[in-house]
Amino acid sequence: MDIMKSKNLVQVLYYILLVSTCLCFKAYALDYDYSYTAECLKNPLKPQYNGGIVVNSELNDGLNGWSLAGGAKIGNKVSSDGNKFIVASERKGSYHGFSQTFQLDRDKFYVISGWVQVNHGDDTSIAVIFKTQSGFQHAAWVNAKSGCWSMFKGGLANASGPAQLYFETNNTSIDIWGDSISVQPFSQEEWESHQNQSIEKVRKSKVAIQVVDSQGKPLPNATISVEQRRADFSFGVTINKNILNNNAYQNWFFSRFKVTVFEDEMKWYSTEATQGNVNYSTADAMVELCKSKGVAVRGHNILWDDPNHQPTWVPALSPQQLSVAADKRVESVVAKYKGEIFHWDVINENLHFNFFESKLGPNASTHFFRLASQFDNTTLFLNDFFTIEKTYEISAPANYLKKIKQLRKEGYGGPLGIGLQGHFSLPIPPYIRSALDMLASAKLPIWITELDVTNTTNQVIFLDQIIKEVVSHPAVEGVLIWSAWKRYGCYRMCLTDKNFNNLPTGDVVDKTRVTLSHEGLVGITNAEGYFETSLFHGDYKAIVAHPSVPKSFQYNFTVTPNGGSDHVKSLSYKFTTA
C-alpha cells in the first residue's frame, strides 16, 4: 500500500469488520424453504410447510380431504415400516386418480411440493396440474420410479377461485402413489422479503470501517467513497459486432459492464460459413476490444443441437464427415480462445434438439464435452431454454438433472455448469424459484445466460420481477441480459434507442447494476469514527478524506462471505501520511 505524504504526520488505522449480516426486516410468519432432494428415497420426507393448505398432507387421516378425479380407485395404504400414503389404481385416463381442491387468491404465489412413486417401471413422467377457472396450469414435473419416492417441486401464480390439484401420466397401467404433498401460499410482500433476506445472507456482508488518528482517537466526519473493483456476482449484457465501429455503443456498454457474451460471432455458422474457411477475425476483434476494457467474455457456443442453426454445408455431411468436421470445430475454437474466455456452452439446447445425436449416436453430447475439456479446463456448460421460463416437460428441471446424470454416467467428469437462457413471456415467480431449487441440488454453477422478456405491455415490470428473482436466488452465480444492439431492433428486447439513450428496460438493468456495484456510495464516519454498511462480496477501493489530512488517500479491501456464521472477522490496515 502506498504511503502518502503531507506536512503533518498522521497515523490512521482502519478496522474492517466483516460480520454476517443481521439486518432487520418486517417479521413474516413463514420463511421460504429452498430445499429439494433429488435422491429417490425409501420413505418420503416430511411435507414442506407442514403441508400448507393441503388437508391431510401425510395421509394419516385416511382419505380425508382427498377425492376422486375421473375413473379410478383411490385408497389409503401403509408400507411395511408404517408410512401411510394414497394410491390411485385402475386408472381409466391420463389424469384419473386422487385430487384435492383449493380456493386460490390471484394476489398470492403458491409453492407446490410432494413425493410420488409408481408401482412398476422407472422414469415415469408425471405432471402436477391445477385445473383453474382460466384453464389447466402445469405446476411441476417429476420422473417417478418404483421402489422409492421421488420429490417434485413447482409453483403456481395468476390463478384465483377454485382450483383442483391432480396428477397426470399417459400410461394408465401405472398406479400413482402420493405422500407429503404441500401447497403453500405466499403474499407478494412475503415473497419480496425472501429475496431481500437471501441477498443480505448470501450475497452481502456487513462492513464497519473505523478511521482513527495516530493516537488511536476516532476521526468523525471523515468521508469514505467506496468503489467496487471486482464483483463476485456477475451481471452483464450481450454485445455483437456492431460495437466494433460504434463509439456511442462502446461508451454506453463499457461504462457499465465487466462481463459479456457475444450474440453470434463465436458460433460455428459465423466462423466457418463455408467448409474449411475458418475466419475468427470478427470474434478476435471483439475479444481484443473487451480485453482492452477489462471485460470478461463468456464462450457461446461451440456446437448447436438445433438442425436449423448449423452452417449451411453441415446438414449434407455423412455421419463420418460430420464427426470429423465437428471434432475439428471443437478443437479449433476451444484451443484458440483458451485463457481468453470463461465458460463454454458446449452443445447448445440439447434438451430440445438432437441434431448431433441423430447423426452420431446417443452419446454425442458427452463426446463433445470430453473433447472440449482436453483443450481448456474452463467450466463447460449445458445451455437450454424453457427450464425456468415455462412449465414444459422436455426441458423441465427434472429432465435437466437427468441430462446432467447422463453426462456423468457416460464419462464426462470435468467441470460442469448449468446454463438457463431465460427467454420469458409471462413469468411465474414461484415456478422460477422452485426450478432453481431443484437445479441447485446438482451443486453446480448456475448462470442465467440469455435473459430477456418479450415486448408486451408489462415487459418492464416483468423484467424487473425476473431479475430480482434470479439475482436473489442463492444458487445463481451470474446473469447475462440478452439484448445486443442492432439499429433496426434487437432479438427480442432492446435496452437503448438508436442513439443509446436508455429505454425503460435499460433503466431496469441500470438500477440492478447500480445496486450490485454500489455505484456512488459515499459514507461519513460517526462520532466514534465508524462508517457501517452492507456490501456485495467482491474487491473494493476506499478513498478516505478528512479535514485534518491535506490529501485524500485510498486502500483496497475484499468483502468475503461468512457462510452464515456469526463469527466476526477483522482486518486491520495502517496508513501513514506525511
Side-chain angles (χ1 to χ4, degrees):
M1 183 61 62
D2 291 337
I3 298 176
M4 307 183 69
K5 297 181 178 180
S6 68
K7 291 183 178 180
N8 298 318
L9 181 66
V10 182
Q11 282 188 330
V12 187
L13 298 178
Y14 304 90
Y15 298 97
I16 298 181
L17 306 179
L18 302 183
V19 299
S20 62
T21 304
C22 183
L23 299 186
C24 296
F25 296 93
K26 182 178 179 180
Y28 290 104
L30 202 60
D31 289 335
Y32 181 80
D33 187 345
Y34 289 94
S35 67
Y36 168 79
T37 302
E39 293 78 13
C40 199
L41 303 181
K42 179 182 179 182
N43 285 311
L45 300 180
K46 288 286 187 179
Q48 294 188 331
Y49 313 107
N50 293 318
I53 59 176
V54 173
V55 176
N56 192 21
S57 174
E58 296 185 77
L59 283 303
N60 291 323
D61 188 19
L63 295 178
N64 180 39
W66 296 93
S67 60
L68 177 64
K73 288 185 178 180
I74 60 172
N76 188 269
K77 291 194 174 182
V78 183
S79 66
S80 59
D81 54 3
N83 180 60
K84 297 177 181 178
F85 55 95
I86 193 169
V87 175
S89 58
E90 299 182 29
R91 300 168 50 251
K92 307 301 182 186
S94 61
Y95 68 90
H96 297 183
F98 49 84
S99 70
Q100 191 165 139
T101 299
F102 309 95
Q103 198 71 23
L104 303 184
D105 183 340
R106 182 172 295 277
D107 293 330
K108 291 187 177 180
F109 296 149
Y110 294 86
V111 175
I112 295 91
S113 61
W115 296 78
V116 293
Q117 187 175 163
V118 292
N119 63 328
H120 64 83
D122 283 333
D123 287 332
T124 298
S125 181
I126 296 177
V128 183
I129 301 175
F130 283 82
K131 181 181 179 182
T132 71
Q133 290 180 322
S134 59
F136 298 91
Q137 294 194 33
H138 287 74
W141 291 91
V142 57
N143 294 320
K145 302 179 184 296
S146 62
C148 59
W149 291 89
S150 299
M151 185 179 179
F152 64 85
K153 194 170 188 180
L156 182 74
N158 305 310
S160 62
Q164 182 185 24
L165 167 66
Y166 65 92
F167 300 81
E168 179 175 291
T169 184
N170 290 329
N171 188 347
T172 56
S173 70
I174 293 288
D175 292 355
I176 301 176
W177 304 0
D179 200 0
S180 292
I181 298 168
S182 172
V183 177
Q184 178 60 47
F186 290 101
S187 69
Q188 295 190 32
E189 291 76 16
E190 288 176 303
W191 202 256
E192 291 175 4
S193 78
H194 301 151
Q195 294 170 346
N196 294 332
Q197 290 167 358
S198 177
I199 285 174
E200 293 296 336
K201 179 179 179 180
V202 178
R203 302 259 182 260
K204 302 172 76 175
S205 291
K206 190 175 181 182
V207 176
I209 302 173
Q210 186 182 33
V211 182
V212 299
D213 63 17
S214 58
Q215 284 76 44
K217 181 180 178 181
L219 291 179
N221 299 316
T223 300
I224 302 176
S225 301
V226 178
E227 297 179 8
Q228 188 183 80
R229 298 168 55 243
R230 184 198 59 83
D232 282 7
F233 185 87
S234 296
F235 185 74
V237 169
T238 316
I239 60 174
N240 59 28
K241 62 186 178 183
N242 292 319
I243 201 169
L244 291 174
N245 300 303
N246 190 320
N247 290 332
Y249 192 177
Q250 291 183 23
N251 292 338
W252 181 86
F253 176 80
F254 290 116
S255 66
R256 287 168 164 80
F257 303 105
K258 290 298 181 183
V259 60
T260 192
V261 63
F262 300 166
E263 185 177 38
D264 287 314
E265 289 75 9
M266 281 189 176
K267 292 171 181 173
W268 195 6
Y269 56 65
S270 296
T271 62
E272 194 175 359
T274 58
Q275 188 172 10
N277 295 319
V278 179
N279 185 346
Y280 291 114
S281 59
T282 301
D284 284 348
M286 293 174 68
V287 169
E288 288 304 312
L289 177 61
C290 288
K291 285 170 62 178
S292 73
K293 302 292 186 179
V295 172
V297 178
R298 187 173 185 275
H300 175 80
N301 57 54
I302 301 174
L303 298 170
W304 201 337
D305 231 354
D306 186 343
N308 296 318
H309 290 289
Q310 306 301 324
T312 56
W313 53 270
V314 164
L317 297 179
S318 68
Q320 182 178 4
Q321 291 170 330
L322 177 63
S323 178
V324 172
D327 283 2
K328 284 184 178 179
R329 158 65 179 175
V330 173
E331 178 179 357
S332 173
V333 72
V334 178
K336 176 175 177 56
Y337 291 111
K338 179 180 180 181
E340 295 191 284
I341 58 94
F342 72 98
H343 300 172
W344 266 116
D345 293 331
V346 175
I347 182 160
N348 204 40
E349 299 175 356
N350 63 344
L351 287 172
H352 283 87
F353 306 108
N354 65 344
F355 174 77
F356 290 97
E357 286 79 4
S358 69
K359 302 281 188 178
L360 305 178
N363 298 341
S365 288
T366 303
H367 166 75
F368 293 127
F369 269 88
R370 295 177 67 181
L371 182 62
S373 69
Q374 296 177 25
F375 302 104
D376 195 344
N377 61 0
T378 190
T379 303
L380 304 180
F381 271 66
L382 293 157
N383 190 50
D384 228 302
F385 61 95
F386 291 173
T387 299
I388 60 173
E389 304 98 310
K390 295 181 182 291
T391 57
Y392 284 4
E393 178 181 11
I394 192 170
S395 52
N399 286 329
Y400 205 125
L401 292 171
K402 186 177 177 181
K403 178 65 74 173
I404 292 170
K405 290 181 180 179
Q406 178 186 344
L407 285 173
R408 294 307 197 194
K409 183 178 180 180
E410 292 174 357
Y412 176 66
L416 184 61
I418 295 172
L420 305 170
Q421 293 182 8
H423 296 298
F424 284 91
S425 296
L426 175 65
I428 307 172
Y431 187 81
I432 297 172
R433 190 180 293 182
S434 296
L436 291 169
D437 294 346
M438 292 181 66
L439 294 168
S441 68
K443 301 187 185 306
L444 298 174
I446 297 177
W447 275 61
I448 312 302
T449 57
E450 305 178 19
L451 177 58
D452 62 15
V453 180
T454 191
N455 189 6
T456 62
T457 303
N458 292 316
Q459 183 186 45
V460 173
I461 295 172
F462 289 162
L463 178 63
D464 185 55
Q465 186 179 55
I466 296 161
I467 289 177
K468 288 177 179 177
E469 192 62 58
V470 296
V471 168
S472 67
H473 196 281
V476 176
E477 296 186 4
V479 175
L480 287 166
I481 307 297
W482 197 258
S483 56
W485 181 86
K486 298 184 183 75
R487 180 173 296 276
Y488 300 108
C490 307
Y491 174 64
R492 293 207 316 169
M493 183 182 78
C494 285
L495 301 182
T496 71
D497 62 19
K498 65 181 181 180
N499 296 315
F500 294 95
N501 299 308
N502 268 11
L503 298 171
T505 49
D507 289 339
V508 169
V509 170
D510 262 354
K511 181 179 70 174
T512 302
R513 177 187 59 80
V514 169
T515 298
L516 291 172
S517 66
H518 305 288
E519 184 176 294
L521 176 60
V522 177
I524 305 295
T525 56
N526 61 18
E528 288 74 37
Y530 279 101
F531 167 60
E532 296 184 357
T533 187
S534 180
L535 297 179
F536 284 92
H537 302 141
D539 297 333
Y540 290 85
K541 176 174 70 176
I543 301 172
V544 181
H546 190 269
S548 66
V549 181
K551 293 183 179 180
S552 64
F553 46 92
Q554 65 186 49
Y555 64 91
N556 299 327
F557 64 97
T558 299
V559 179
T560 57
N562 292 319
S565 170
D566 290 331
H567 177 67
V568 176
K569 300 178 182 179
S570 63
L571 299 173
S572 298
Y573 297 87
K574 182 178 180 180
F575 300 88
T576 302
T577 62

